[in-house]
């Protein structure tokens, strides 16, 4: 299954001219798609009639829902349930491969969004399967490949790379402020005064709505903000400052804790588009 990067680009580019990305009916219970939109960084809110696995073989992607943001680095994929409203945000250089699935027929009964770890084997299976003809022979080698892919997907471990989003409009305002300006020096006391509630009340509501304390939520939001900056090649010191860190060592330690990689390693491999290198450099971890 292994090919050179030049072979991959040639075969994958040619496949984009051969098959539709999202058919109106699934030709098979498992359908692979080359979803490559180089000029689109963020899609509009939408949903699919089938379950979807969205996976960036290069770059990273985020799936936004009304309740949470799901972040997938190159060795992770996001499971999107059928008919679930969502938006996809991807880094400019992202190369996306998607699977569309009849989850009932395949026995993958996952009703909620989730982030899955993608092993080297599963990565290759997804990449190869996305290049198959839409009406592949189910009783032949392609059908057997589909069965192996589903088996590997079914046992892929879930990793909780999630930034929960509150439904309370007051907290939503706070979270948008922190997301737009992660370096802003806002503490709970300032925010509680802004909203006209006590610090204790704000803390309690935030914990109930997101499952996280305020500081931990802000820490995750800052790291999410750092990913595209590192991918485009910004200096690590500048990224740390842009994300509200006064100490470079603190930023590096926090980034490593959440991703299993240092910002420098992530930036080098993300810029090179090396999934294999990122897979070994970034170990799956739970947020």
């Amino acid at each position: 299954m292994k090919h050179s990067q030049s072979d991959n680009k040639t075969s994958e580019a040619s496949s984009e001219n051969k098959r539709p990305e999202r058919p109106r009916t699934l030709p098979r219970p498992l359908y692979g798609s080359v979803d490559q939109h180089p000029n689109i960084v963020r899609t509009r809110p939408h949903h699919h009639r089938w379950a979807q696995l969205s996976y960036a073989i290069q770059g990273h992607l985020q799936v936004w829902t009304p309740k949470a943001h799901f972040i997938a680095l190159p060795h992770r994929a996001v499971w999107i349930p059928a008919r679930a409203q969502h938006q996809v945000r991807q880094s400019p250089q992202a190369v996306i491969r998607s699977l569309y699935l009849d989850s009932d027929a395949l026995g993958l009964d996952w009703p909620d969004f989730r982030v899955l770890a993608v092993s080297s084997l599963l990565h290759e299976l997804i990449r190869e399967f996305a290049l198959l003809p839409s009406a592949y022979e189910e009783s032949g080698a392609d059908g057997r490949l589909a069965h192996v892919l589903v088996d590997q997907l079914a046992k892929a471990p879930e990793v909780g790379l999630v930034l929960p989003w509150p439904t309370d409009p007051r907290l939503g305002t706070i979270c948008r402020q922190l997301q737009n300006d992660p370096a802003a020096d806002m503490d709970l006391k300032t925010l509680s005064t802004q909203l006209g509630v006590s610090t204790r009340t704000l803390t309690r509501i935030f914990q109930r709505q997101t499952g996280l304390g305020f500081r931990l939520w802000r820490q995750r939001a800052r790291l999410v903000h750092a990913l595209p900056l590192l991918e485009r090649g910004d200096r690590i010191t500048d990224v740390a400052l842009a994300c509200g860190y006064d100490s470079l060592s603190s930023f590096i330690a926090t980034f490593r804790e959440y991703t299993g990689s240092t910002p420098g390693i992530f930036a080098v491999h993300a810029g090179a588009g090396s999934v294999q290198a990122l897979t070994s450099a970034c170990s799956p971890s739970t947020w």
Side-chain angles (χ1 to χ4, degrees):
M1 280 190 185
K2 294 184 179 179
H3 303 277
S4 67
Q5 289 188 349
S6 60
D7 290 342
N8 292 348
K9 291 178 180 178
T10 301
S11 60
E12 292 172 1
S14 63
S15 70
E16 293 179 43
N17 299 321
K18 292 182 180 179
R19 53 188 309 190
E21 291 179 354
R22 296 185 184 96
R24 295 192 176 185
T25 59
L26 281 184
R28 298 288 185 266
L30 178 64
Y31 174 83
S33 173
V34 176
D35 289 351
Q36 192 159 350
H37 306 286
N39 297 319
I40 299 177
V41 176
R42 179 174 179 173
T43 66
R44 295 180 179 181
H46 63 285
H47 67 274
H48 310 291
R49 282 180 273 179
W50 316 283
Q52 177 188 1
L53 185 82
S54 192
Y55 175 54
I57 64 173
Q58 178 178 316
H60 84 281
L61 63 87
Q62 301 177 32
V63 174
W64 288 27
T65 77
K67 294 183 178 180
H69 299 168
F70 298 83
I71 300 92
L73 299 177
H75 61 292
R76 294 167 186 168
V78 181
W79 172 267
I80 303 169
R83 299 178 178 84
Q85 193 81 356
H86 64 282
Q87 283 182 281
V88 177
R89 299 187 68 174
Q90 62 187 53
S91 52
Q93 71 273 39
V95 178
I96 308 298
R97 297 295 175 264
S98 291
L99 302 178
Y100 296 92
L101 311 94
D102 183 337
S103 53
D104 291 334
L106 298 174
L108 294 175
D109 186 19
W110 295 331
D112 301 317
F113 288 85
R114 59 177 60 194
V115 179
L116 301 174
V118 176
S119 66
S120 297
L121 174 58
L122 185 54
H123 163 80
E124 292 295 334
L125 290 169
I126 293 172
R127 189 188 61 78
E128 289 288 333
F129 188 80
L131 305 179
L132 294 182
S134 57
Y136 58 86
E137 180 57 54
E138 292 183 276
S139 61
D142 293 343
R144 292 192 293 273
L145 178 64
H147 282 295
V148 174
L149 197 163
V150 171
D151 287 343
Q152 290 296 311
L153 182 59
K155 70 177 186 178
E158 182 176 1
V159 286
L161 291 169
V162 181
L163 183 66
W165 200 261
T167 56
D168 187 300
R170 296 171 299 175
L171 298 190
T173 299
I174 291 175
C175 291
R176 279 190 293 274
Q177 289 176 343
L178 294 172
Q179 191 175 57
N180 293 333
D181 187 10
D185 186 19
M186 293 188 291
D187 56 21
L188 275 174
K189 184 176 180 180
T190 301
L191 294 172
S192 62
T193 301
Q194 175 183 324
L195 296 180
V197 299
S198 68
T199 301
R200 179 176 297 181
T201 297
L202 180 57
T203 299
R204 185 174 64 252
I205 297 174
F206 208 97
Q207 179 72 39
R208 184 174 68 244
Q209 294 245 327
T210 69
L212 301 173
F214 171 76
R215 292 181 182 276
L216 184 56
W217 192 97
R218 183 170 61 180
Q219 188 178 68
R220 294 191 187 185
R222 286 175 168 176
L223 290 173
V224 171
H225 184 77
L227 296 177
L229 303 183
L230 292 170
E231 282 188 322
R232 76 184 186 188
D234 288 12
R235 292 195 317 157
I236 296 175
T237 300
D238 293 338
V239 174
L241 292 174
C243 293
Y245 286 88
D246 296 327
S247 166
L248 178 59
S249 59
S250 177
F251 171 64
I252 293 174
T254 302
F255 192 93
R256 186 199 293 271
E257 177 185 354
Y258 280 102
T259 69
S261 168
T262 66
I265 291 176
F266 176 86
V268 168
H269 294 309
S274 173
V275 175
Q276 288 79 8
L278 265 174
T279 301
S280 60
C282 303
S283 59
S285 59
T286 300
W287 287 33

